[in-house]
Each structure stands twice: as C-alpha cells, then as structure tokens.
Amino acid sequence: MSSSVDQIVAVLRATLSADLGMRKQAEDYLTQHAYGKGHVVGLMQVAVAPQAELPMRQAAAIHFKNIVGKAWDPRKEESARLHEEDKETCKQNVLEALIQSPEVVRSQLTECVKVMVAADYPEKWPALLPTLCSYLQTDDVPRVTGAVHVIMLLCRKYEYKDKEERKTLAPVIDQTFPRLLAMLQSLIGMTDRRTDVALAGLVKLIVKTYWSATYLDVPPVLMRGESFGAWITCMHQIITMDIPAEGANAEGVEKSERKNYPWWKAKKWSLHIANRMFSRYGNPKMCKPEYKDFATAFKSECAGAFLETTLGLLSAVSKNAFVPDRVVNLALQYLTTAVSSALTYKQLKPHMQSVLFSIVFPLVCHSAEDQELWENDPHEFIRKGYDIIEDMYSPRTAAVNFLIELCSKRAKENLPVVMGFLVQILNKCQDSAVRLLPPHEQPHAELGGALHCIGSLQEKLKSTPGYKEQLEPMLVQHVLPAFASPHGHVRAKAAWCAGVFAEIDFTDKNAFQSLFGQVVSALKDTELPVKVDAVVSLASFVEAAEDISQLRPILPQLLDEFFKLMNEVESEDMVFTLETIVEKLGEEIAPYAMGLTANLAAAFWKLNAEDDKDDDDMGGALASVGCLRAIATILESVSSLPHLYPQLEQPLLPIMRKMLTQEGYDVYEEVLEICSYMTYFAPAVTPAMWELWPVMVHALETWAVQYFENVLVPMDNYISRGTETFLAHPTCKNDVLKLAGMVLMNAEMPDPECLPAAKLLECVLANCRGRVDELVPTMLAMSLERLGKTELSYLQDLLMQVVANCLYYDAALALDILNKNGRTASTLAKWFEMLGARTKSGKRRHHRREHDKKICALGLLALLSAPAAALPPECQAAYGQMASALVSLLSDLKTQIAERKEMEANDDGRGGWPAGWSDDDEFDEELGEDQDEGDEPVGLDEAALAKLAAKARAVNPFGGHNRYGNHDSDDSDDDGMLTDDENVTSPLDAVDPFVSFAEMMSLTASADAAKFAALNAGMDQQTAQALMMHADVRRKEIVEEKQEEERKKAERAAKLGAGAV
C-alpha cells in the first residue's frame, strides 16, 4: 500500500481507539480532509486493498459512501464538492472495486455507484455502458454479477421517469437485455448447479433488473412477442422450479434465514412481475389502446399459465412445506386478481374448495407462531397487527383480501359456501361436548379464524339480504360467549368482531348493550392485545350508541385505563377511540378536560422523543398526530366553557412554542388548529399566546408559506379578538404588510398561494376601522398591482374586495390615495367590469359568495354615502352606474340568502347526494361468470352524474377555472368558492347591507335631491322598491335575532354558573 493509504488506515484505526483524545484527533482529521484532493480516492483504495484488515476496509467504504453521497452532486451551490479529477478516478475504478470486494464492502460501494449513476449517466459517464457490455461477455461470475448489479441501478434510475426521459434507457436495454436473457435461460437450465448460491444470486439480480426496466410500462423492445415470451417463460420456470433442500426444509435453519435463500428471492421477484403484468395487462378493456393487442395476448397465453403455477406453489402451503411469507402473499395477490377475470376465474373454480379451506382459512387462523409471539412479545404482536406496512407483506392479509374479493365479485356461488363453512365452525365450538374438552383441545384457532373471516366480510354481510338479518343472532349466540374464552386471542377477536358490527340496527337493544358491556370489560383483560383490540372496538360502540349512560359512571377509570395503555402501546387507533368518546360526551367531558389534555400532551412529548430516535416508526408518528387531534377535539367540546381555556393553555403552550417552528413540520397543521381554538374560544388572547405571533410570522417568511391559509385562521383570531394588542404591538401591523407583500408582490408566487394574503388584509381593515390609516396606501398598491397580473378569477375577486374594504373603511381616504396615484378611473372601470360580467346563463362570473356580494355592496354604499365634494368628477358622473350595480348586487344577494336558507331547511344531512342513494351503496357489483371487471359501467343516469360532477367541483377552491383562471364552460353550474367560510366572524356581520341601502336612500333624498335623482335614474325601480321593503323585513328580523341571541346567552351563563369549576 502507498503511504497515503497507510496513513488513512492508521487514521481509521485511531477512530476505534479507547483513547478519547486520539479518537477525536482522528475524527477531526477525517472531517478536515473529507473533500480534499485525493482523499476520496485514498478511501476507495483502502476499501479494495486485499491486504488491509476487513474492519478497516469496511470503515473506509462507509466514509467513502458518506462523502460521495454528500459531495458528488450536491444540490446547493455553496456545498462542498469533490474535485473533478477525483471523480473521474473513482468512476474509472469503482466497477473493478465492486467486483473484487467482499459483501460488507460491496454493499457500501453499490450505494456509491447508485449516486454516480444518478448524477453522471449518460452525459458524464459515456464509458459506463460499453464497459458493462464487455463485462457481460466474460465467464467471470463475479464480474458478470457486478455488471448486472450496475445495469439494475441504471434501470432503477428511470423506474419512475416519464416516457420521454426513459428513452435514455433504450440503449441499455437494447445492448444488454439480449445477453441477460441468454444468461438467465442458461442459468435456469443448469439443474446440476442449483445449490450454487452465487449463480442463484445472479438469477435474482437479472429478474430484479427486468422488474426495474418494466416498472411503469414494458419498453417496446421487450414487448415484442419473441422477447416477451422468452422472458415470461423464464419467470414461469423460476416460480415452478423446486428449491434445493437447504432452502426448502433444511433442518436446523431458521425460517428467517431460509426466506433469504437466493432461489426464494428469485421466485419472489418473478411473482412480483407476474402480478404486475396481470393487474396491468390482464384485462384488455382497461388498457390504453396502444397496449390492447399486447394485453389480449397476455390474457390468453400467460395469465392462466401463471395461475396454474401459483396454485401449485400454494399447494405446498397446505402440506406444511416451507414457503416464505412474502411469496405466499404475492401468490394470493395473483389469485385475488384472477377473481375479476372471467377466464382465470373459470380456471380457478375447480380448485376453489382447496384454496378456501386448505390454504386461505388456515392462514387466517391463529398459529403456533402467533401464540409464541403473543406470549413472548405481546407488544410486537400488537405492532404487527396494526402496522400498515406489515399488512402489505402478510400472508394473512392477502388471504383475507382474497376472501373479500371473492365474496364481493363472485358472491352468488361463493358467499353461501364460505358462510356455511364458517357457521359450521361456530356451531361446532358451541357444541356441549366440545366445550367440555380441556381448553388446549378445543378448536380455538378455528373459532378465532371464523370470527376474523366474518368480521372481514362485514361490508358484504351488512348489505346482503338473508345475511344482514342474521348478524344480530350471530353476535349474541357466538361472539358474546367468545368473550369468556380461556384463550386470549379468541377474546381479542371477539372484541374486534363486535366492533365492526356495532353499527348494525339491533332489534334488541339489550344485545347491543351486552356487547358494549363486554367490550368495556375487556379493557381490564389480563392480556395486553385483548385490551388494545377492546379499546379500538370501543370507538365503534361509542359512535353507534344512542345512550352512553353506562360509560358515565366508569369514565374516570376508563380514562385511567386509556392512559396506562397509551404508556405501553403506541397506537393511532387508541387515540382515535379517545377522540370519539370526547366528541360523543361534548361538554360533559369538561370535568376531565384538564387531566385529559395534560395526559395527551405528555403522551405527545413521549412519542415525539421516540420518533426522534427512530425515523422509521410510522406507528409512533401517527399516534403523536392522533394525540394532537384528540386535544383539538377536547378544545372543541368545551368551546362553550371559555373559563377552562386558561387552565388548558399551560400544558399546551410548550407544544405550540416548539411545534410552530420548523421542528414541528410534520404536525404543523394540527398544532395550528390547537392555536386557533386557543385564540378563538378563550376569554381573551393571553400575553403568552401573543408570544406565538412572531413565531408564525417567521415560519411564513422562511419555510411555511404553503401553510399561509392555515396560519391565517389564528392570525384572524389575534386581530379580531386582540385588536388593542395588535394595534399597540410594535411589529404586528408591519408584519401584516410584510407577509402580504411577500406573496402579492412576488411574480414567481403562484396565484393560489396569494389568496390568504388578500384575506389577511381584509381582516385588518374590518377589525381596525379608522385606526390603521397608514396601512391603507400600501394595501391598495399591493392589491391593484397583483390584480393587474393575476388570471385566477377567485384571486381577482379577493383583491378587488380589498379595494371595496378600503372604501368602506374610509371612502374619502381611499379615493384620495387612488387620485394621487392616478388609479381612480381604471380601478372603478375594472370593478364595474367585474360586477357586470355574466355567463350565458346569467350567473355572475365574479363575487359569487354571499360575503363577496356584501363587501362589494358596502364598498359601493360607502362611495354613494360620501359627500359629493369628496368624490372626484368621474365618481359623480358614475352615480347611475354605481346605483345600478348596487341594486343588482343586493337583489342577487337576497336571492342567494333565500336559496341557502331553503336548502338548509330541506337538508337531510346527506350532503347533497342524489335522492335514493345511500352512502354504502355498492359499486363493486357482483360479476357474472362470463364477465370481467369493467365490462359494464356503473348504472348512473346523466342527471345523477351531473350532480356528482357539480358536487366534486364545489369542493375545489379553484373549481370551474382552467389554467388561465377563466371558466371552462360559460354556462358552468359550478359556483367554485360559493360557500362562505364557516365560523369566521367579523364586525361586518353586524352590518346589514339591505338596511344600510334603505338608510342611504332616505338620507340622500332629504339631503341632495340632484344626487337622489341621479341614483334613481340608474336603478331598476321595481327592484329598488323590493329592496326597500326587504330592509323593513330585515329590521324586524334583526330585533328577533338579537332577542334570541340574548336568550341563548342567558341560558349559557346560567349553565356556566352552575358548572363552573
């Protein structure tokens, strides 16, 4: 080794020294020289040096990988970069290093090649493909394996790229895949060398390479009949081939080791490919036109052949032969897809009894391995049961999914058979002779499996005549007794099964209460998994219960059990149950609100700390989000008890302080929701809460602009409920202008991101009328500047409403600013143009919400109420036009309010679905024996489809606008943002535009006859008279509304006085 290599080895050895000083000195050396010229090359030389000790080679490879990952192609310009000469040296030697190195080093070098390929191929590494092609022509297995590995990395680079970008991969496929295919065919044919794990590993690599190359679609060259047929034949042969004894049922070899045997891995990837091809091309009717011929050939020639091999593979499972879980999972996925295709379903039917009762049902049952895990590590048992990722790989989940698909798509033939089998098991377990057997001899695994299957088929059973009527008797006769089983897994399954059927219509309410009681009792079970299933099930019962009186007496103990469990188990589902109880109890939760909030806050901090240690802990992350959601639910439940909020603030402030910074990125929306409740329902915005204002401003300025809409809610509360503090604060007013300018004046900022800025300006103008004159010039300037550039219709509306708000704030001030800047005529012209714009059907193009019309009407009223001397000549000349626009606005507003009230009166709580529809109407209708999925469209008439389309557009904030902000259809029924924001209060709520209009007309008539005449000349007199009459109606209604409000306030005060702590 050269001296530089010797030096690096010495430094690496020193990093492992027991001497702290020497270790730190070595680490500092590596850090200082990391990006120095030649250092990265030296690390690679050490990694491949055969005479160096393996731990030193591994350490060098890890350092090499870390440096390459950071500095080969850094995203930021200012980041450290490797010297180009070093990069060239690495590229020239890394393939040879990959080939010559042991596995512990090769795995690190593979990551380096991945980075190099991603950054440099093909432009900066043109020699790579010719080198790989030359390696493939040799008989050197390590060299060929290394080449295939890199080809796989090349294909992976383009896995998710679009068709245009994937063209770069075409030369790789053209030049290497014929050779890869020939090699694969040869390796599969070497029956005498099946035990050679190096060759088996090469087979696995080639199959994985094919998977990556065909990830999004099959490249044209691989779709050609001869080529595709050869590749698919290889996959078929791999799935069917026998596994050598050491990988199949080798004595003394753990299952966890056997599943990593290369031939099993090759089978797994071959099944992946078969599954994807079948799901993508198995139904030609569902394919794009250019793939229909290919799909037709695949369906007729390949789908059935793969089904036979898959059935053969699964038959081994029924004989207790070893098959890795992931292979079983993929095989069952293939069968599940086969159910929807008439061709493969007919082929599957003769085997159905065997598949259902010898393969699927045993997989669903509680196994010896399950019981071992239950006893030795109940926490891991629970994690596996509730882990979404685990479900993706689980044979049990795949078996249940097959059962659900079969009994949904082919129910007529299969549901009676399945349910007959399951009921037979339930009856057997109820037989007196069986119940007298010792517990370990009872068929408890079958009972648990039957309950699992029945619960999994809940959707079909609840909606199918003949079955839905039998659910209540089944629950009473079989599920209730199962709570008393001596076997914990049966009690857990009983709790779960009861929960999934809690929402059915019970004819006997005692049956519901008995099940409810058993679930509550199961919370104190001796077995942890039973408790967790009971907690999750409890949510369904609480949700379905009309009377939760049996919960009230035990609520303190119940909450104690909850938090004990939360300390033991991280589960989003458990937190959801707590949330459901809080929601159901509403104000009754008040005595427990402080304790609940403190416990949830403590649980959040615990989960957050564990998340920091384990970035892959998705369950913990979801549970921490659940804690915040539950806190928000508590705050909402006690929203009518404002005296509680100062107490609740204490445990929540630390969470808000920390999580409103970038550290809280993953939970930012949830924390903002809590902040919104704390600033809206508390008696006042406290000084401690005001400390969060600059935190939110800084977040928006630096990293959270995409959350502006969310941040707007608490900011509105600060301004509306803490107006005096806002006005006296040294930075708040300037913060508003700064944030609005940051988006409105930024030409690169997308229009949708600017919507909250306009709303924020409106909030200040509405709440600080007459007290922020100095802000008005900047507000007008920013709004008009963006208005001239935006093409988004809704943003145009909001910006023009800022102008209307400025006029209502102080018409003389706003007009003076517009006059000084020469913008009066153009602004009014634009406004009148927007007010007059209509679709062909007569609907307004702009200002379509009630709130929009009201703001515009108040702005016009302010203009018309101003003394003539204060108005520029162009305004005085436009009296008639303004009056006409005002009357038209108010008339439309009156109609819109009436329509909304009628809709609210007639609302049946169905959310606008067509009459006769149910939320659980089945769209996965059963298929006929000769039908494929997709043969028949769902039977909706045009009217129903139109209603659905309108409903979909109505929830889209930018609905009805194409990319230029215009309406896709001139007569579109879509009203975009027609619905006014709920729970948003403003001082303008107290201003009635109809009464204001009548008052303005009366005052003008008595004070300025000429102006009154000009106004009348522009108005439709019939409409104006109707509005005057409506103003009288509104005066009476306002009195009644105030009286009703006072009555409710008195009731609330009385209740608060009685229940205040």
Side-chain angles (χ1 to χ4, degrees), residues 404 408 454-464 468 471 500-501 503 919-920 922 924:
I404 294 169
S408 298
I454 290 169
S456 299
L457 293 172
Q458 50 153 323
E459 293 298 335
K460 187 68 181 176
L461 296 175
K462 288 174 187 174
S463 61
T464 305
K468 62 183 180 182
L471 290 175
V500 299
F501 291 109
E503 64 178 25
D919 287 343
D920 58 358
E922 298 245 349
D924 58 338

Side-chain angles (χ1 to χ4, degrees), residues 135-152:
Y135 284 5
L136 288 179
Q137 300 304 320
T138 69
D139 294 325
D140 182 347
V141 173
R143 189 169 299 277
V144 170
T145 303
V148 176
H149 213 130
V150 178
I151 294 167
M152 182 183 72

